Amino acid sequence: MTHVIEPAVPDDASRLGPLLLRAWLQTYPRREAGIDEEWIREHRGAAATPEGIARWRDFIEAALRDPDLLFCRVVRSETEAEAESGAPVEEIVGVLCGRRGEEVTLGPMYLLNHVQGQGIGDRLMAEFLDWAGAARMCLWVTEYNEGAVRFYRRHGFEPTGDRELWQGRLPNLRMAREAAAPVGDG
């Protein structure tokens, strides 16, 4: 199986909403927090609707027009299996987006469970960090998603102490990676 990271194109929009919903369903169910499949579909299911797909298309088109301000990469996975047409089956299995403002905001970033642990997240993050440069970067991560918290720490992000309870249930914490100091001439 081959995984290719490349800029998203407008036709990817129809697959990104369903990808995010699938990733949420894999990652966030938590009985003690009252987060189950029904709650996730209620709060994130709109990503897979025609309106959600249109928002993705708009974001991707904007990122293509202004790549210095908006970042959007997808991970394409080609399997050995072939569709009825005889062509390899391609699936989008991950995404990483970001925005540049006073600071760079990372998010969303998702990889489906079956491709985690293969270094793809590190490759995606390397592209993002290269794009972001020396700017201060920030993100929100779900507190109980310990693998994601460890991943972001490994890439230089640290908790800021800020927390939020998204939609009254999902406990998120803010992480930041401070701006790199300018390199002097010696």
Side-chain angles (χ1 to χ4, degrees):
M1 185 175 310
T2 305
H3 298 102
V4 177
I5 298 170
E6 58 191 14
V9 296
D11 285 346
D12 293 332
S14 64
R15 294 188 278 170
L16 287 178
L19 167 81
L20 261 65
L21 179 58
R22 185 173 165 196
W24 270 68
L25 289 168
Q26 290 179 351
T27 307
Y28 297 118
R30 184 97 167 188
R31 182 179 303 139
E32 55 273 19
I35 299 172
D36 58 12
E37 181 177 346
E38 181 181 338
W39 188 89
I40 290 169
R41 288 187 183 281
E42 177 184 338
H43 292 284
R44 295 307 295 173
T49 65
E51 295 81 15
I53 291 167
R55 283 191 297 276
W56 269 110
R57 182 176 295 279
D58 291 346
F59 181 82
I60 292 166
E61 289 171 349
L64 292 171
R65 277 191 313 273
D66 201 346
D68 290 335
L69 292 181
L70 299 172
F71 179 92
C72 189
R73 298 291 185 275
V74 294
V75 180
R76 298 183 197 284
S77 176
E78 281 193 1
T79 63
E80 301 300 318
E82 292 186 358
E84 289 180 21
S85 67
V89 175
E90 180 193 89
E91 176 186 21
I92 293 180
V93 296
V95 63
L96 173 57
C97 298
R99 296 174 183 270
R100 187 183 310 276
E102 288 184 29
E103 59 188 10
V104 171
T105 302
L106 184 156
M109 179 179 186
Y110 291 104
L111 283 175
L112 294 178
N113 286 352
H114 71 279
V115 296
Q116 291 180 13
Q118 300 176 37
I120 300 166
D122 292 326
R123 289 173 40 210
L124 260 177
M125 182 62 78
E127 286 199 25
F128 178 79
L129 294 174
D130 185 53
W131 171 82
R136 182 178 194 273
M137 295 169 234
C138 61
L139 59 90
W140 286 99
V141 62
T142 298
E143 226 170 293
Y144 61 76
N145 188 350
E146 295 164 359
V149 172
R150 280 192 309 273
F151 173 83
Y152 292 127
R153 279 184 182 270
R154 198 169 69 244
H155 290 281
F157 290 84
E158 293 296 331
T160 65
D162 295 330
R163 289 184 154 63
E164 71 170 11
L165 203 55
W166 188 78
Q167 298 293 330
R169 291 193 189 169
L170 192 70
N172 290 326
L173 69 103
R174 185 85 157 163
M175 296 183 80
R177 178 180 164 143
E178 295 308 320
V183 177
D185 289 324

